[in-house]
Amino acid sequence: VSALPTNRTYAEQLDAGDPLARFRNRFVRGDEPLIYLDGNSLGRLPAATQARIAELIAGEWGRGLVRSWERWVGLPSEVGDLIGEHLIGAAPGQVLVCDSTTVNLFKLISGALDAQPGRRVLITDDDNFPTDRYVLQGIAAQRDCELRTIHTDQDEGLDEETLAAALGPDVAVVSLSQVAYRSGALADMARITGLVKQSGALVLWDLCHSAGAVPVRLDDCGADMAIGCTYKYLNAGPGAPAFLYVRADLQESLRQPIWGWFGQRDQFEMGQAYDPVPGIERFATGTPQIIGTVAVAEGTKLLAEAGIDRLRDKGIALTSYLIHLGDEWLEPFGFRLASPRADARRGSHVTLFHQDAWRISRALIAAGVIGDYRTPDRLRLGPVPISTRFCDVWDALDRLRQIAADKSYEALPTEISRVT
Amino acid sequence: VSALPTNRTYAEQLDAGDPLARFRNRFVRGDEPLIYLDGNSLGRLPAATQARIAELIAGEWGRGLVRSWERWVGLPSEVGDLIGEHLIGAAPGQVLVCDSTTVNLFKLISGALDAQPGRRVLITDDDNFPTDRYVLQGIAAQRDCELRTIHTDQDEGLDEETLAAALGPDVAVVSLSQVAYRSGALADMARITGLVKQSGALVLWDLCHSAGAVPVRLDDCGADMAIGCTYKYLNAGPGAPAFLYVRADLQESLRQPIWGWFGQRDQFEMGQAYDPVPGIERFATGTPQIIGTVAVAEGTKLLAEAGIDRLRDKGIALTSYLIHLGDEWLEPFGFRLASPRADARRGSHVTLFHQDAWRISRALIAAGVIGDYRTPDRLRLGPVPISTRFCDVWDALDRLRQIAADKSYEALPTEISRVT
């Protein structure tokens, strides 16, 4: 029997002692009494971001017009450096904000394949995020290479022995997520990176569910490449640009396939032959989206102010509290934890298995709690550290046990009708 | 001797008779008395766009949160259809707002090459916009194909005979701009498309400098593919997403290389194998940028309200008036028209040659007139129809002749220091 209390007073005590509690008020909230446990899908709107975008639009676009490119043109690498310093452990000159996660993945994997002509195998795992798997399938279909997809347990995450067995002298790139989108399982980046590099392959980490949620140490781990999105934990808004990381001493030998004018040396000379700039900006393609890029800057600064280590501590506290209440309340109703139980092996979200997860997720929304359904039988709850209270977790789980107990969800349609 | 008067009163009369004059007030302007002739590089901010983005951020992102994806997910094709209907002559289901011009060009050219295994030559011209040339160079470098670059006169635009001579049974795709970024020369889309298709190749049109400026008739011309940006004449803001067009009956056979989750059938089933949706959305890649996409919708609606034919009429009137004043005032000072003189062969901007174009463009900015310098010796002036007055053209040319006459620009540094 767990020692933690299950009464709401305890949650209130945890909130009272939370050093990050004040950050909740840095986000815009409506009048609706909403419990939002899906900031790991689309993060909340920081008030500073709302103000900064309004200022950018009125001042820099509206009045500054084309002259503002003087300041905009450096933003992708400046904001990349911010992410590098505060969130993903990358020294300056290795991170660029650009394009989408999907496009960045395509660029880096293609480049890494071209850089190693003797190695024709790509590795990923079958529980990697869909776009990661599809991009690799597309490259394998078009290029002379093979995609080797290893099996990953949907609850527990990557198995290092399975990965080790798949490595070999024919492998060019291993592409993995640091935190699994479904289970929240946190991979050991340092050990896996070492394993892959020992085999002579390059490793690419997808940080979509880890950047801003757990401390990432790309440089320390010797990681080769990484990509990630900014609309989850970085709170940069729907479709804000993604980022990519390429280790400094790999940049020269990696040539990405989309040769655009923003990667060109002396861009406005508009010369005949493409000649990529030295450094991380050679991974740029077309004109960067500026509104989204300043939103990334604001979101990153807010996380930096909170501090990634404190965010990680709170993330563990929130998710372990959620697991505790789930154990106490939900198991009799057919729920089962579908995330790693050990704190050190989990990111900032928790997934519960239930065979009726779809209808329960709908009933939960009707009860004012937004979580996330993941096909076919998973309820994903993301109490993102910067804006979630322990009381939110208590209230959400309390409503969930009521829904489970009264079986009101059984009146809902079983057909899945969803877009996210 | 031209019959048109050169006094300012005549410009005022033209403004008084301009049926589109009222649209100038639909844009945000600062207190600064600025003459802006660079809306063909970065368009002005429509007041409706400013309001719409503020509403989107506060309401749909801030309060709606992840639930707003229900409405956002259809935007890329809905806004694409708007562009298709009002600006580029495309029936529904053929235009998608996504990624950047550069990335879209890469996707379509790669797909077109794969669809025609027996044809291994790409054609473009040496005065095409840099990113177009670089993307094709990148594809040619990586794939088993040849890039054939034809010569285009920097003042007069594409030469159809030169193109005809380059065509042949080995050509897969011809990639051209409808309006040349440098000279503003307007290609005959119908005739060139016919010429290319007769040879069995596919044609791709870059509409960056034509969409929103001249009526484009993709369907009528039988064009195969097109791409274009939205931050120029569509006034959608810095780095707003681009668009792409693929003719309906070509969509099935064209497989783009970046297999992302937004192009996947039953996207949220998150299935193992990539299986592209039918229709234009198969050309989507990653998560679309939503703020930029609604800005494209607002910008397009504003142009639709003005009407593309009226915009074209005013564009001709403004540019021919500019050319007239240039003829009268500037020729003695070393200027020469570097755009086609015939109205029907010109888009909505005019380029002037001067050997000191860089310093003159700087002096012009100091005098409150923003035009654009194009390397090495071109001054590009874009009196965009929806927001430019005839008086603006008169005032700009008047200041230009004063700068040319007093040679004050000769005190400025010759070294080019610019980012756009």
Side-chain angles (χ1 to χ4, degrees):
Chain A
V1 176
S2 165
L4 289 177
T6 56
N7 59 339
R8 196 174 193 280
T9 311
Y10 181 65
E12 290 162 9
Q13 286 167 2
L14 291 174
D15 283 325
D18 173 15
L20 300 182
R22 66 190 167 89
F23 282 94
R24 184 166 178 271
N25 291 323
R26 305 285 287 275
F27 292 85
V28 172
R29 290 197 307 276
D31 298 329
E32 184 188 20
L34 192 72
I35 296 176
Y36 191 58
L37 300 182
D38 207 10
N40 55 324
S41 183
L42 178 68
R44 281 188 179 279
L45 166 62
T49 302
Q50 186 176 33
R52 177 72 186 91
I53 291 177
E55 176 193 79
L56 171 83
I57 289 177
E60 295 181 34
W61 174 12
R63 292 192 296 274
L65 291 161
V66 74
R67 295 170 291 189
S68 298
W69 272 111
E70 293 276 350
R71 74 171 66 180
W72 293 337
V73 79
L75 281 177
S77 59
E78 288 162 30
V79 182
D81 282 347
L82 261 188
I83 296 173
E85 179 183 354
H86 296 292
L87 303 180
I88 61 173
Q94 301 179 108
V95 183
L96 188 73
V97 172
C98 58
D99 296 319
S100 64
T101 303
T102 298
V103 170
N104 286 336
L105 190 63
F106 177 85
K107 293 187 303 193
L108 296 189
I109 298 285
S110 298
L113 198 56
D114 286 342
Q116 303 169 96
R119 292 169 171 263
R120 307 313 297 166
V121 175
L122 304 175
I123 291 182
T124 192
D125 74 282
D126 61 3
D127 202 44
N128 204 350
F129 189 78
T131 218
D132 299 59
R133 292 185 275 105
Y134 303 154
V135 165
L136 269 66
Q137 286 172 23
I139 292 172
Q142 195 188 41
R143 310 291 300 278
D144 175 30
C145 69
E146 175 205 333
L147 175 58
R148 194 172 288 164
T149 304
I150 61 171
H151 177 61
T152 289
D153 185 276
Q154 292 196 352
D155 297 358
E156 291 298 324
L158 282 169
D159 180 61
E160 293 174 28
E161 283 179 31
T162 306
L163 173 60
L167 293 171
D170 53 352
V171 178
V173 194
V174 176
S175 179
L176 301 168
S177 287
Q178 189 184 15
V179 169
Y181 82 102
R182 193 192 309 263
S183 64
L186 172 63
D188 187 327
M189 180 183 280
R191 209 163 57 215
I192 293 175
T193 297
L195 193 68
V196 172
K197 297 190 75 166
Q198 208 168 20
S199 81
L202 295 172
V203 65
L204 179 145
W205 288 101
D206 181 335
L207 309 178
C208 283
H209 289 82
S210 56
V214 302
V216 182
R217 299 191 175 90
L218 290 171
D219 286 353
D220 286 354
C221 293
D224 298 303
M225 301 171 285
I227 50 150
C229 79
T230 63
Y231 47 76
K232 300 179 189 293
Y233 292 97
L234 273 65
N235 302 301
F243 63 86
L244 59 79
Y245 162 93
V246 181
R247 165 165 71 72
D249 56 357
L250 188 64
Q251 291 171 10
E252 193 80 3
S253 58
L254 218 65
R255 196 155 207 191
Q256 60 97 353
I258 308 176
W259 296 5
W261 69 318
F262 269 77
Q264 169 76 351
R265 198 188 295 259
D266 299 325
Q267 174 182 4
F268 289 94
E269 277 301 303
M270 301 187 161
Q272 279 302 316
Y274 180 71
D275 176 20
V277 289
I280 195 68
E281 284 172 314
R282 64 170 49 204
F283 298 97
T285 56
T287 308
Q289 55 152 312
I290 298 305
I291 296 176
T293 304
V294 304
V296 177
E298 292 304 320
T300 303
K301 285 188 240 169
L302 195 57
L303 294 178
E305 191 185 330
I308 190 66
D309 291 322
R310 290 200 298 177
L311 289 164
R312 173 62 174 156
D313 290 346
K314 186 174 173 188
I316 288 175
L318 285 162
T319 52
S320 61
Y321 183 56
L322 194 159
I323 290 170
H324 162 65
L325 294 179
D327 289 346
E328 297 288 321
W329 294 345
L330 298 176
E331 288 212 339
F333 302 112
F335 286 91
R336 175 175 59 70
L337 179 65
S339 295
R341 191 167 281 279
D343 293 344
R345 296 209 49 242
R346 200 172 60 230
S348 256
H349 70 265
V350 173
T351 300
L352 301 172
F353 161 88
H354 192 286
Q355 64 178 15
D356 240 329
W358 164 249
R359 295 196 292 180
I360 289 171
S361 75
R362 293 284 107 178
L364 203 54
I365 289 172
V369 180
I370 298 186
D372 206 350
Y373 165 75
R374 281 295 168 240
T375 184
D377 48 25
R378 298 288 200 275
L379 183 63
R380 196 177 70 168
L381 301 173
V384 308
I386 198 162
S387 56
T388 308
R389 295 176 300 193
F390 290 88
C391 280
D392 294 332
V393 171
W394 194 94
D395 290 342
L397 274 279
D398 181 53
R399 291 181 208 177
L400 189 51
R401 73 168 159 168
Q402 288 173 38
I403 289 165
D406 68 18
K407 293 194 186 296
S408 57
Y409 64 87
E410 290 184 352
L412 298 174
T414 52
E415 197 196 351
I416 294 169
S417 56
R418 63 199 301 275
V419 296
T420 59
Chain B
V1 177
S2 166
L4 289 176
T6 56
N7 58 340
R8 196 173 192 279
T9 310
Y10 181 66
E12 289 162 11
Q13 286 167 2
L14 291 173
D15 283 325
D18 172 16
L20 300 181
R22 65 190 169 89
F23 282 93
R24 183 165 179 270
N25 292 324
R26 305 286 286 277
F27 292 85
V28 171
R29 290 197 307 277
D31 297 330
E32 183 188 19
L34 193 71
I35 297 176
Y36 192 57
L37 300 183
D38 206 10
N40 56 324
S41 181
L42 178 68
R44 281 189 178 277
L45 166 63
T49 302
Q50 185 176 34
R52 179 72 186 91
I53 291 178
E55 175 192 81
L56 170 85
I57 289 177
E60 296 180 34
W61 174 13
R63 292 191 296 274
L65 291 162
V66 73
R67 296 171 291 189
S68 297
W69 272 111
E70 293 276 350
R71 75 171 67 180
W72 293 337
V73 78
L75 281 178
S77 58
E78 289 163 31
V79 182
D81 283 347
L82 262 188
I83 296 173
E85 179 184 353
H86 297 291
L87 302 180
I88 62 172
Q94 302 179 108
V95 183
L96 188 73
V97 173
C98 58
D99 296 319
S100 64
T101 304
T102 299
V103 170
N104 286 335
L105 190 64
F106 178 84
K107 293 187 304 194
L108 297 188
I109 298 284
S110 298
L113 198 56
D114 286 343
Q116 302 168 96
R119 292 171 172 262
R120 307 312 296 166
V121 174
L122 305 175
I123 291 181
T124 191
D125 74 281
D126 61 5
D127 201 43
N128 203 350
F129 190 76
T131 217
D132 300 59
R133 292 185 274 107
Y134 303 154
V135 165
L136 269 67
Q137 286 172 22
I139 292 171
Q142 196 188 40
R143 310 290 300 278
D144 176 28
C145 69
E146 174 205 334
L147 176 58
R148 194 172 290 163
T149 304
I150 61 172
H151 177 62
T152 288
D153 184 275
Q154 293 197 350
D155 297 357
E156 290 299 324
L158 282 169
D159 180 62
E160 293 174 26
E161 283 180 31
T162 306
L163 173 61
L167 293 171
D170 53 352
V171 178
V173 195
V174 176
S175 180
L176 301 168
S177 287
Q178 189 185 14
V179 168
Y181 82 102
R182 192 193 310 263
S183 64
L186 172 63
D188 187 326
M189 180 184 279
R191 210 163 56 215
I192 293 176
T193 297
L195 192 69
V196 173
K197 299 189 75 168
Q198 208 169 19
S199 80
L202 296 172
V203 65
L204 179 144
W205 288 100
D206 181 334
L207 310 178
C208 283
H209 289 83
S210 57
V214 303
V216 182
R217 299 194 174 88
L218 290 171
D219 286 354
D220 286 353
C221 292
D224 299 303
M225 301 170 285
I227 51 151
C229 79
T230 63
Y231 47 76
K232 300 178 187 294
Y233 292 97
L234 272 66
N235 302 303
F243 63 85
L244 59 79
Y245 162 94
V246 181
R247 160 165 76 72
D249 57 357
L250 188 63
Q251 292 171 9
E252 193 82 3
S253 58
L254 218 64
R255 196 156 207 192
Q256 61 98 351
I258 308 176
W259 295 8
W261 70 318
F262 270 76
Q264 169 77 350
R265 198 188 296 260
D266 299 326
Q267 175 181 5
F268 289 95
E269 278 301 303
M270 299 187 162
Q272 278 303 314
Y274 181 73
D275 177 19
V277 289
I280 194 68
E281 284 172 314
R282 63 170 48 204
F283 298 98
T285 57
T287 308
Q289 54 152 312
I290 298 305
I291 296 176
T293 304
V294 304
V296 177
E298 292 304 320
T300 303
K301 284 188 240 170
L302 195 56
L303 294 178
E305 191 185 331
I308 190 66
D309 291 322
R310 289 199 298 176
L311 288 165
R312 173 61 175 156
D313 290 344
K314 186 174 173 189
I316 289 175
L318 284 163
T319 52
S320 61
Y321 182 55
L322 194 159
I323 291 171
H324 162 64
L325 294 179
D327 288 347
E328 296 289 320
W329 293 345
L330 298 176
E331 289 212 338
F333 302 113
F335 286 92
R336 175 175 58 72
L337 179 65
S339 294
R341 191 167 281 277
D343 293 345
R345 296 210 49 241
R346 201 174 58 232
S348 257
H349 70 264
V350 173
T351 299
L352 302 172
F353 162 88
H354 193 286
Q355 64 177 17
D356 241 328
W358 164 250
R359 294 196 292 180
I360 289 172
S361 74
R362 293 286 105 178
L364 203 53
I365 289 172
V369 179
I370 298 186
D372 206 350
Y373 165 75
R374 281 293 168 242
T375 183
D377 46 25
R378 298 288 200 276
L379 183 64
R380 196 177 70 168
L381 300 173
V384 309
I386 199 163
S387 57
T388 308
R389 297 176 299 193
F390 291 88
C391 280
D392 294 332
V393 170
W394 194 93
D395 290 341
L397 275 277
D398 180 52
R399 291 180 209 178
L400 189 51
R401 73 167 158 167
Q402 288 173 38
I403 289 165
D406 67 17
K407 294 193 185 296
S408 57
Y409 64 86
E410 290 185 350
L412 296 174
T414 51
E415 197 196 353
I416 294 169
S417 56
R418 63 198 300 272
V419 297
T420 58

